[in-house]
Amino acid sequence: MNPQNNKPVRVRFAPSPTGNLHIGSLRTALFNWLFARHHNGTFLIRVEDTDVVRSTKEFEHSLMESLAWTGIISDEPLMYQASRMDLYRQFADQLLKENKAYKCFCTEVELQEKREATQERQDTYQYDKRCRALVDSDPSSPKPFVVRFKVVIESENFIFADDIKGQVSIPAEQVDDFVLLRSDGTVTYNFANVIDDNEMQITQVIRGEEHLFNTPKQILLYQAFGYQAPSYAHIPLILGPSGQKLSKRDGATSVVEYKKEGYLPQALCNYLVRLGWSHGDLEIFTQQEMIEHFSLQGINRSGAKFDIEKLKWVNSFYIKTLTPAAIIELFAKDLEKNIAQDTPDLTDAQRQAWVALYQDRSSTLKELYDQVVKSYNLPASYDWENLRKLIEKDAVIILQLLQQEFVNLEFEKHQLSEKVKAFCKLHNYKMSEIAQLLRFALTGSISGPSIFEMMVLLGSREVQKRISGVIAEF
Ligand code: GLU
């Protein structure tokens, strides 16, 4: 039940298919979905495709795919606004008949001139309502017109309650006689939004705070039709590192980009839900825990800064929970990469072992994939600078001696480690130094996962070959 109006909870996510799913929109969808699940309610998706120029089927598919990837699907068939144009026109006619809306014949050129004039005066532009008093133009030469809503606000401010922001007050001068139908007969966002939310019996509108200034217009429309308005909750923006609204300049903003980079949907959702919402100091939530604890009261009133390092941390947490076999499947599904093609000589079991070796050290699937493929191949370059900081001389001699030690040795983790330990003791080296030198010879870098596990995976012949290869480079 909706705690405020005692109706079964029905919420919706209403994307416009004019781009890929933005991570801010995913968070909005998630908050709606969690709210529905928490209250045993219904979650719906409505496609706001009234902008025929910018809306495309490709974007719609991409949006739905991104939502489905994170497990968000509509509980009822999707609603498409573009197929409801006739209905919106009927509702506009009703308001015209009731004298709650009027035809406006001002041309775009006239309006633009007025907008520019107000800009020069540094005033807020508001339509001057001049067509309110007109009757229809001569029907024999019909002029193009838009349908405007007659806004009547008795006080200086329009005040409404918001479940996140508390009481919101919007200056009445910001709410002018807005357009319901454009001159080509298409419907505007505010008008279609109200008609559909009412028809879908939406009890709670949870959306981004960029819509805060639309809310008075929508509430006034509800009043004009005599409908009960839903309650509202406006979610603060996701901010970039500079404190401004997160934008492309700050890095990836769409869900598809995060998927391609190798973020897991559970991690992205966990991170996004936690961004601007909290339950004590819990950071990692199962889906069940999120549903159980979610409440609009837990959402902060101010914007939350997007922190990619924290997202990486959450992602690495979830990567650790998967089996190597599941990770290999995700390489194909999410990264669209074929690991068998990139590591042709390995068996499935060996591939899984390589994945297991790097699994705890990767913050994205892509990083993990690249590490495995990199280790499978001969080092493409060597980090000489760091090696020299570590061992000044003798490196070649040490490597040659180690090569001898490895001859006829069973390549098993424990045996290898005992052998190298004994070698260090005999020649008075630190184990860590020798491990780093070996790692350098095998991978080109002095840091990385356990050297002995790696040696087992590479096998004796490959280890000898790589050591000889690096010796020749000194
Ligand atoms: N189509 C609008 C958007 O994508 C929906 C806003 C709303 O939820 O009312 O921002």
Side-chain angles (χ1 to χ4, degrees):
M1 287 289 163
N2 180 338
Q4 281 162 23
N5 50 23
N6 263 343
K7 284 191 197 160
V9 162
R10 286 174 67 85
V11 290
R12 76 338 183 240
F13 175 59
S16 305
T18 54
N20 293 320
L21 186 65
H22 189 279
I23 50 170
S25 304
L26 173 58
R27 191 180 59 153
T28 302
L30 269 166
F31 283 169
N32 275 285
W33 186 86
L34 288 170
F35 187 81
R37 294 290 96 98
H38 180 88
H39 292 284
N40 287 322
T42 306
F43 169 82
L44 304 168
I45 296 179
R46 180 173 70 228
V47 182
E48 300 211 324
D49 51 356
T50 53
D51 183 341
V52 284
V53 180
R54 291 173 60 229
S55 302
T56 68
K57 275 285 160 200
E58 286 74 30
F59 283 136
E60 185 198 320
H61 292 147
S62 161
L63 286 172
M64 294 308 152
E65 227 176 85
S66 291
L67 289 168
W69 180 65
T70 59
I72 297 183
I73 40 179
S74 181
D75 294 333
E76 291 176 10
L78 304 191
M79 178 187 265
Y80 290 87
Q81 290 190 324
S83 63
R84 294 165 54 79
M85 288 296 182
D86 288 344
L87 187 91
Y88 303 132
R89 282 175 210 133
Q90 286 167 23
F91 277 100
D93 281 343
Q94 180 189 331
L95 291 183
L96 283 169
K97 272 195 206 106
E98 291 172 2
N99 206 16
K100 292 173 179 164
Y102 60 95
K103 292 179 182 175
C104 164
F105 298 92
C106 297
T107 65
E108 200 33 61
V109 178
E110 286 164 354
L111 294 175
Q112 189 54 29
E113 276 170 11
K114 284 180 191 163
R115 261 185 229 121
E116 279 164 17
T118 28
Q119 243 167 23
E120 268 166 36
R121 294 197 306 274
Q122 297 191 333
D123 257 355
T124 324
Y125 170 76
Q126 208 191 15
Y127 175 63
D128 60 12
K129 303 177 186 158
R130 63 193 312 225
C131 291
R132 264 199 195 197
L134 290 183
V135 279
D136 269 7
S137 64
D138 176 4
S140 59
S141 63
K143 276 207 290 178
F145 63 87
V146 301
V147 176
R148 284 186 186 272
F149 185 65
K150 237 182 221 180
V151 171
V152 183
I153 303 175
E154 303 291 348
S155 48
E156 246 177 68
N157 294 299
F158 187 94
I159 294 169
F160 65 92
D162 186 280
D163 290 339
I164 296 172
K165 299 196 162 285
Q167 186 172 292
V168 177
S169 173
I170 306 277
E173 60 175 33
Q174 301 270 0
V175 193
D176 66 355
D177 283 1
F178 55 98
V179 174
L180 306 177
L181 289 185
R182 300 186 190 92
S183 55
D184 61 1
T186 57
V187 68
T188 58
Y189 155 73
N190 281 308
F191 193 41
N193 203 267
V194 166
I195 292 167
D196 292 345
D197 278 345
N198 182 65
E199 189 170 311
M200 292 161 86
Q201 299 177 29
I202 298 304
T203 51
Q204 196 101 17
V205 168
I206 305 169
R207 63 182 172 199
E209 74 175 8
E210 63 274 22
H211 289 290
L212 211 52
F213 280 80
N214 288 319
T215 306
K217 297 178 182 172
Q218 296 179 5
I219 295 176
L220 289 169
L221 280 170
Y222 280 100
Q223 290 169 355
F225 283 119
Y227 302 150
Q228 188 188 359
S231 33
Y232 289 91
H234 288 91
I235 309 165
L237 296 175
I238 297 183
L239 308 174
S242 58
Q244 301 290 318
K245 185 179 174 189
L246 183 74
S247 76
K248 281 201 182 355
R249 262 176 292 119
D250 302 313
T253 50
S254 73
V255 174
V256 272
E257 288 171 279
Y258 282 93
K259 180 179 171 192
K260 280 212 181 99
E261 274 302 305
Y263 289 88
L264 301 173
Q266 310 89 299
L268 194 57
C269 290
N270 191 144
Y271 173 71
L272 286 176
V273 165
R274 186 58 192 75
L275 184 62
W277 173 82
S278 57
H279 177 75
D281 39 20
L282 265 187
E283 291 291 355
I284 302 287
F285 293 84
T286 62
Q287 197 176 71
Q288 217 34 54
E289 284 169 334
M290 282 187 204
I291 293 172
E292 191 181 320
H293 299 308
F294 185 75
S295 74
L296 295 174
Q297 289 71 43
I299 297 178
N300 286 341
R301 283 186 177 197
S302 48
K305 263 197 191 161
F306 187 76
D307 177 357
I308 189 76
E309 291 311 317
K310 182 146 174 223
L311 171 58
K312 282 186 181 168
W313 174 79
V314 177
N315 204 44
S316 60
F317 172 88
Y318 281 98
I319 288 178
K320 286 187 196 126
T321 65
L322 298 176
T323 62
I327 290 178
I328 288 175
E329 265 179 45
L330 289 176
F331 285 157
K333 248 175 63 196
D334 287 1
L335 302 187
E336 293 172 21
K337 292 210 180 240
N338 184 343
I339 192 145
Q341 215 164 49
D342 285 336
T343 56
D345 298 334
L346 300 184
T347 62
D348 281 348
Q350 284 171 323
R351 274 183 206 112
Q352 291 185 24
W354 274 111
V355 166
L357 187 63
Y358 281 107
Q359 186 173 356
D360 287 357
R361 313 177 58 86
S362 308
S363 48
T364 65
L365 291 178
K366 189 157 172 275
E367 208 178 292
L368 176 50
Y369 187 89
D370 290 345
Q371 304 245 45
V372 170
V373 174
K374 200 170 146 212
S375 306
Y376 168 82
N377 290 301
L378 286 178
S381 62
Y382 292 93
D383 182 6
W384 293 105
E385 201 180 316
N386 272 317
L387 181 78
R388 293 209 171 94
K389 278 188 216 151
L390 181 74
I391 292 177
E392 294 232 337
K393 50 187 170 58
D394 299 343
V396 171
I397 297 167
I398 298 170
L399 286 172
Q400 282 168 340
L401 287 173
L402 282 168
Q403 273 192 309
Q404 286 164 25
E405 298 282 344
F406 297 150
V407 173
N408 291 333
L409 181 73
E410 192 197 336
F411 262 46
E412 184 273 329
K413 209 169 112 183
H414 184 68
Q415 294 230 22
L416 283 165
S417 116
E418 287 305 308
K419 190 57 129 188
V420 174
K421 237 187 247 167
F423 176 88
C424 290
K425 204 163 169 205
L426 183 69
H427 298 283
N428 208 15
Y429 288 118
K430 277 196 229 135
M431 181 74 162
S432 60
E433 282 172 345
I434 298 303
Q436 282 172 315
L437 177 61
L438 268 173
R439 202 177 282 117
F440 174 82
L442 301 180
T443 68
S445 159
I446 61 167
S447 57
S450 152
I451 188 65
F452 302 118
E453 283 180 36
M454 186 178 285
M455 287 171 74
V456 173
L457 287 175
L458 286 170
S460 170
R461 257 188 56 196
E462 184 70 15
V463 168
Q464 294 287 13
K465 181 174 136 193
R466 290 192 186 188
I467 296 178
S468 299
V470 79
I471 288 173
E473 298 269 330
F474 267 93

